[in-house]
Every structure is written in C-alpha cells, then in structure tokens.
Amino acid sequence: MSSMTVAVHTGAVEQLADQGYCLLTDLLASDVLAELTAVFEKNFTQDQWGRNEFEGRRTQRIYSLLAKFPIVANLVEHPAIMKLLRLHLSESAILAACQATRIHPGETAQSLHADDDLAGVARPRPPWSLSVMWALSPYTPENGSTLLVPGSHKWEDGRKPDADEITSLSFDPGSALVWLGGVYHGGGANTSAESRTGISIIYFQPWLRQVENMVLAVPPASAAQYSETVQRLLGYGVAQPTFFGHVDGRDPIKLINEAIT
Ligand SMILES: O=C(O)CCC(=O)C(=O)O
C-alpha cells in the first residue's frame, strides 16, 4: 500500500470513526466510470439471480471481478479508500470480497447485519473489516440504496435498531459509501422502476487468514492426491453457513473434483 498523501473529503475520516460510515463523492475519472458502466451493462445476464433471501432473489451478483475485469482494480486500490483503510483497519489489509451487485425492481430489503458479527466476539470491538459500496448507477432510498444504522458499530450485543435509526442515502455514480464492519447495514428494497448497480468491496484485517497460504502452496493439481478432508482443511471448501471461501460463487472443492456436491 503506498504511503502517498491523499486528500479525502473533509470530515470523512472523523465521520467514519464517529458514525461508522461516510460517503465519498465524485471519486472516479469520467473515462474509468464510463468503462466500468459499460462492462457491467454487458455482463449482467439472466443466470445470476440470488439463490436465497440473503443473496436476494431479485438481485444479481457477479463474483471474481479481478479475474474477469481488470478495470475494477481502479476501485480496489483507489487512493482515498487506501487512506481510510490505513487509518481505520490496517496498512496491510487484505481483499475479502469484490462483487458486482444489481438490485432489480421488486427486491425486498435484505436483513440488517454487521459483517464483523460473524466472528461471534462480543460487541463493541475494533473493526475487523471495512466495506465500500461503489455506485455505478444512481443510488436512492427508492431503488435500494444501502440501509445503514449510523453509530451502531459502538452498540453492545443485543441492541436492535428502531425503524427511525435506519437511514439510506442518495448518491451518484462514481461515489463510494464506506462503512466499518460493526455497522448494521443491508441492501434496501427496490420500489422504483430502475435497477441499482454497484461494486461491493470488503477488506479484512490481515490476520483474518491462514498462516500459510495453503491453496497457493498446494494448488488444485497437487491437492487432488489427498482425501476430501485434507482438501477442505487446505482451504478447498466453504465455511457454513456463511459460504466464506467460495470461488466465483461456488465451493472451491469443485476446482479439484467437479463431481463433489
Ligand atoms: O447491496 C447492498 O447495499 C449491501 C449488501 C450487503 O450488505 C450484503 O450483500 O451483504
């Protein structure tokens, strides 16, 4: 991560600490935004519907973006985001997820959740993750803009948000909504006639990983000689029920043996 000096919007660093989220507008050069928009206009197809209520039955997702669309690196390593990462997470944070999402008209609100709660460690706690929602279309409360509960990263276990504590913002393509992993959030309901398209990126603390990077050390062809138990211990498997560890939305055990279900 570079140590260059980068300006972020006035107050964003403080707002992220205090409210748990901030909105950065107008971050992308027009040619980069135009290319990103064109790429995802072309690549959302009809076979990408969510497989459960959490993925969203009227939501489409495309995974493994950096393997498919190098232009996405402009978002992953955007200097303003790198600065927030350094200040709020870690100098050596890692990329945990990077997916395109399109919420279609008729989608209902996703259940509110805090990504860091999956750790099962008592709240409040320092952030284990930082999320960024990059808008490639307008985001509005009507078309499913991300629901957020400001300040909830400071809440104790068990507190549930009242309806008037949940907010969602309007913002333009090229903006980035950033929140800390302790903040309750979720995709909003789309009651409009237009779809809402964005790139959702999650960064993790660097220690949320294997000590040895086992799937690089023992690639699929080599892992094939072992039992399924060893393969899953190496990392060729997903955690249930979160599906963490997936590759392009699928269980990575299939990289070794397509027949395993
Ligand atoms: O789409 C959004 O606005 C947020 C989605 C989200 O939090 C998730 O899918 O886990």
Side-chain angles (χ1 to χ4, degrees):
M1 214 173 284
S2 93
S3 59
M4 64 199 263
T5 305
V6 178
V8 290
H9 300 45
T10 311
V13 171
E14 295 74 19
Q15 192 191 358
L16 192 53
D18 188 50
Q19 295 293 307
Y21 78 96
C22 65
L23 178 65
L24 307 177
T25 55
D26 207 14
L27 289 185
L28 298 179
S30 55
D31 58 332
V32 173
L33 179 57
E35 186 175 341
L36 281 161
T37 308
V39 161
F40 290 101
E41 274 317 307
K42 205 164 75 190
N43 282 284
F44 274 109
T45 58
Q46 289 308 311
D47 58 353
Q48 295 147 333
W49 296 105
R51 296 162 287 190
N52 51 49
E53 296 309 314
F54 192 81
E55 279 194 326
R57 308 249 181 224
R58 295 289 303 150
T59 296
Q60 295 180 295
R61 294 174 193 261
I62 307 177
Y63 299 104
S64 295
L65 298 186
L66 288 176
K68 299 172 183 171
F69 314 115
I71 183 79
V72 171
N74 286 279
L75 308 182
V76 170
E77 64 176 354
H78 192 285
I81 303 300
M82 295 297 98
K83 177 164 185 172
L84 293 179
L85 265 187
R86 274 199 300 279
L87 292 173
H88 287 274
L89 211 61
S90 165
E91 183 74 35
S92 48
I94 54 172
L95 188 62
C98 183
Q99 57 178 273
T101 61
R102 175 167 276 182
I103 295 186
H104 285 258
E107 181 61 284
T108 53
Q110 189 183 41
S111 57
L112 293 179
H113 56 283
D115 297 325
D116 292 2
D117 281 355
L118 293 167
V121 173
R123 307 171 59 97
R125 53 179 116 65
W128 293 22
S129 67
L130 181 140
S131 290
V132 184
M133 176 59 79
W134 284 93
L136 297 186
S137 72
Y139 271 50
T140 66
E142 292 74 36
N143 77 7
S145 184
T146 309
L147 305 172
L148 289 168
V149 183
S152 55
H153 60 308
K154 297 179 179 170
W155 290 8
E156 305 281 333
D157 285 327
R159 179 169 165 189
K160 300 273 177 253
D162 294 331
D164 63 0
E165 291 177 299
I166 305 168
T167 190
S168 68
L169 306 177
S170 293
F171 47 98
D172 292 326
S175 306
L177 180 66
V178 182
W179 64 91
L180 300 177
V183 170
Y184 290 115
H185 68 278
N190 189 343
T191 58
S192 78
E194 307 294 332
S195 58
R196 183 217 86 172
T197 304
I199 308 288
S200 161
I201 300 180
I202 307 179
Y203 303 86
F204 271 0
Q205 292 282 10
W207 40 263
L208 275 170
R209 64 193 300 169
Q210 291 166 299
V211 176
E212 289 186 61
N213 194 326
M214 294 294 179
V215 296
L216 282 181
V218 190
S222 174
Q225 69 189 294
Y226 300 114
S227 66
E228 187 181 333
T229 300
V230 170
Q231 290 166 354
R232 289 189 182 277
L233 285 169
L234 283 167
Y236 293 97
V238 287
Q240 294 295 0
T242 57
F243 220 60
F244 277 20
H246 73 80
V247 175
D248 210 1
R250 302 173 77 220
D251 187 335
I253 200 80
K254 293 180 191 298
L255 295 173
I256 302 172
N257 184 350
E258 183 67 37
I260 294 178
T261 52

